[in-house]
Amino acid sequence: MTATALALVRGLALDDIGRDEARRRAVEELVKPEYQQESLVERAFRLFQEFIDGLFDSAPGGVPGGVLALLAVLLVVVALAALLLWQARRATGARRAAAEGLFGPKAHTAEEHRAEAERLAGESRWAEAVQERLRAIARDLEDRAIVAPQAGRTADELAAEAGRELPALAPALTAAARLFDDVTYGQAPGTPEGYRSVAELDAGVAAARPAALAATARPS
């Protein structure tokens, strides 16, 4: 209830007129014009306060039970707020990562990405290590003109484009792109095995020749 209505209920109760009569008079108080102008936030707060008042009223023995019920409600509210905040931050991070594309906010060479990946792997930061190793693959593919440089390219787009030029590695490229998405957008923790598979792919890509170039190199 609002402060005025709540005071009215308490005052009437003190006059021993009975709880039902007190509530009836409080309702009459609330239908006055000034209460019809309350904002959505004020109304939500009033409804919540009425809910808490109901917990106190229904608790056996009065205040002690009501206090416990209030604490339980507050704990639930805090837990829900924390969950919503976590989800909001997670969604914001995913949107930011998607907007930045495969390489993130900064440009590095393939060797710099590999060195960073190895450093992160040495610290068991597998998710970040996977990200850096796939970035090394992408930069190497661009530097060797196997795929054209493209701002905002996703891991899936890289796998599709590189897979057409390196068909023998297409399944591994697709798997690496899926792993990159899992650790970047799905918040997967990453594993040593996952990182090892991307590192092996990196070595395979470095040694591979595009299909078109290999075809022209074959003797007629």
Side-chain angles (χ1 to χ4, degrees), residues 77-166:
V77 170
V78 170
L80 288 174
L83 177 61
L84 291 173
L85 180 61
W86 175 75
Q87 289 181 331
R89 287 179 175 175
R90 177 176 174 178
T92 300
R95 286 194 297 270
R96 184 184 300 114
E100 291 171 351
L102 178 60
F103 289 112
K106 296 181 180 180
H108 297 287
T109 66
E111 285 305 317
E112 287 172 337
H113 282 301
R114 289 188 185 103
E116 181 65 7
E118 287 297 296
R119 183 186 70 80
L120 292 166
E123 298 176 1
S124 298
R125 295 164 61 181
W126 302 113
E128 296 165 276
V130 165
Q131 292 173 324
E132 287 300 316
R133 199 75 189 210
L134 190 65
R135 288 166 181 157
I137 293 173
R139 187 64 73 194
D140 182 67
L141 289 168
E142 289 184 354
D143 290 345
R144 294 164 60 200
I146 296 175
V147 300
Q150 178 183 323
R153 174 187 276 123
T154 67
D156 289 335
E157 291 170 343
L158 173 74
E161 294 172 34
R164 288 192 290 270
E165 299 298 324
L166 306 172

